[in-house]
Amino acid sequence: LISKTVKFSGMDISDLSAAGLIEKDVNEDVMWAWSYPTVDDEVREMIMRKCCLSSQWIEKEAAADSRPLIPFAFSHFGRTWYYVRTSSTQTVDSEHVLDKVTHVSLVLLTKDFNPEKYETLAGILLHAYLTTGDASHIVEGFLSVFTRGVCPNPNGDQFQVKAFDVRKAYIASSIKDVINMFGVETILIYTALLLKKRVAVFHPDLLPLLRIIRALPVLVWQRQNWNILYPHVEINEVEVADLKSASLYVAGFVDPAIESHTELYDLFVNVPGNSISVAPHAKESFGMGKIHKDIAMQMVEAASDNGTTEQGLIKVSEVDGFYPFQFCLSWGHKLPICSNDGFE
């Protein structure tokens, strides 16, 4: 894969590693149709298995009474983030150039977490392919972003890497919603992350799962580490082995069977059940005292305040002198995370 590092306005723009196309034809066959420059067979097979165009995915989603088409999804495998944007070939206002193809998924493999950036870029590259049927247009856009941090956008604007601040991606999903959902039990998630434990999150529907799981690292904002997330994991030999290679993770599952695999987690978060449980082997690590109760109550109070923004929840308190989600580590210690108007 591409390994050269390129800088643009002080930030890496070589985070793109590869691109690929998955196509579904009129006979309902799904295949990996194209890659640039290359994608490992193991990674390709894993993404194919999870792609919403695959028969396995449609069968599982149909059983869950959910829509089979997922316009945009993402996850993490090894040291690679992958983003998948999917569309029908009938959605573009031009001559149907892919007459044997009904749906296309464009895959981007990258080194970084930034769903909004790659959803936008994948949409641009996918539109170029759907309107021309020519994958060379994907290569042009890919290389333009890789070398210059920009590429043309059909709506007249220009896609710019520097427009997508990763800190905005970190707070794009609401931690307030998570706290309001689980109440004082949110302290268990906070404790698990603080102690670098393994967390499994279950929701039968992928999109709500992705929305919730990406918010959880906000609870330990000072670490600025979203690479602990493995948002969509299937219980199979390859993915479980990859997960076990990480000492700390927050992993998302749509398969309810994960609850019985206590060897894979220390803390289990059941989103539709609004419940959090500690694995038997980890109970000693989750002993709760008065300080935990106080923190939990402050979390709930802050999250229930309609006047508190997402940034407000992680903003340094000028009065109290601590981070709302970093109580145990930062008494009397202040760092410039964000101002009242936004990130500094």
Side-chain angles (χ1 to χ4, degrees):
L1 299 183
I2 296 174
S3 58
K4 182 182 178 183
T5 299
V6 183
K7 296 284 186 176
F8 182 78
S9 297
M11 66 166 48
D12 289 344
I13 62 168
S14 62
D15 292 326
L16 280 173
S17 298
L21 288 172
I22 301 171
E23 295 182 348
K24 183 175 184 178
D25 66 22
V26 293
N27 297 316
E28 302 289 315
D29 293 324
V30 180
M31 66 177 293
W32 190 285
W34 173 88
S35 300
Y36 178 82
T38 184
V39 178
D40 292 342
D41 290 344
E42 184 179 67
V43 174
R44 189 168 60 201
E45 291 172 8
M46 182 266 300
I47 296 175
M48 279 279 292
R49 189 168 56 245
K50 293 184 178 182
C51 175
C52 67
L53 301 182
S54 71
S55 58
Q56 299 100 309
W57 177 263
I58 290 174
E59 289 168 3
K60 286 186 291 187
E61 288 295 288
D65 194 28
S66 300
R67 294 186 302 171
L69 186 65
I70 306 294
F72 180 71
F74 58 91
S75 195
H76 187 199
F77 180 79
R79 297 183 178 181
T80 299
W81 284 92
Y82 60 90
Y83 303 87
V84 184
R85 181 141 181 181
T86 301
S87 175
S88 164
T89 56
Q90 303 290 338
T91 58
V92 294
D93 297 326
S94 64
E95 182 181 358
H96 189 199
V97 296
L98 298 168
D99 57 350
K100 300 296 184 181
V101 178
T102 61
H103 295 81
V104 178
S105 291
L106 187 135
V107 181
L108 293 177
L109 276 64
T110 81
K111 301 174 185 176
D112 64 322
F113 171 85
N114 199 321
E116 285 68 38
K117 176 170 69 173
Y118 293 114
E119 181 178 14
T120 302
L121 178 58
I124 293 170
L125 300 181
L126 181 58
H127 183 270
Y129 180 67
L130 291 175
T131 54
T132 65
D134 185 353
S136 68
H137 292 285
I138 300 176
V139 176
E140 291 175 4
F142 183 102
L143 290 176
S144 179
V145 172
F146 181 76
T147 58
R148 300 189 297 117
V150 298
C151 80
N153 190 332
N155 65 16
D157 298 330
Q158 189 176 57
F159 172 87
Q160 298 186 54
V161 168
K162 66 179 182 180
F164 295 89
D165 189 328
V166 69
R167 294 171 299 178
K168 291 183 178 179
Y170 290 163
I171 62 167
S173 192
S174 175
I175 193 63
K176 288 183 67 175
D177 288 349
V178 173
I179 297 171
N180 288 328
M181 181 183 303
F182 294 107
V184 293
E185 284 198 330
T186 308
I187 191 63
L188 292 171
I189 303 176
Y190 168 73
T191 301
L193 296 177
L194 195 67
L195 298 179
K196 299 185 177 181
K197 298 297 183 179
R198 303 167 303 159
V199 180
V201 182
F202 165 71
H203 196 296
D205 298 327
L206 181 59
L207 293 182
L209 175 65
L210 297 180
R211 184 175 64 252
I212 290 166
I213 202 170
R214 67 179 293 187
L216 299 186
V218 170
L219 292 171
V220 283
W221 175 263
Q222 77 276 17
R223 293 180 183 163
Q224 300 276 291
N225 183 11
W226 264 248
N227 285 327
I228 64 172
L229 297 183
Y230 293 79
H232 182 199
V233 179
E234 292 188 344
I235 306 172
N236 58 56
E237 184 178 353
V238 171
E239 294 187 57
V240 167
D242 179 61
L243 200 59
K244 286 183 175 180
S245 69
S247 59
L248 159 69
Y249 55 76
V250 180
F253 299 83
V254 296
D255 185 350
I258 181 57
E259 187 170 9
S260 64
H261 288 268
T262 55
E263 75 281 3
L264 294 179
Y265 62 82
D266 302 306
L267 190 74
F268 179 68
V269 180
N270 185 327
V271 178
N274 280 1
S275 65
I276 302 175
S277 57
V278 179
H281 65 264
K283 287 187 180 297
E284 187 175 335
S285 299
F286 288 86
M288 297 288 118
K290 183 179 183 302
I291 183 65
H292 298 91
K293 180 180 178 180
D294 291 344
I295 295 170
M297 294 305 297
Q298 281 192 275
M299 283 184 179
V300 172
E301 182 180 349
S304 62
D305 183 354
N306 292 332
T308 303
T309 65
E310 296 295 322
Q311 290 185 13
L313 283 174
I314 60 174
K315 180 181 178 294
V316 178
S317 171
E318 295 298 336
V319 175
D320 298 321
F322 60 88
Y323 298 108
F325 299 130
Q326 297 162 35
F327 306 93
C328 298
L329 298 180
S330 56
W331 296 107
H333 179 60
K334 298 190 291 183
L335 292 174
I337 291 181
C338 55
S339 67
N340 289 325
D341 298 322
F343 290 107
E344 295 178 352

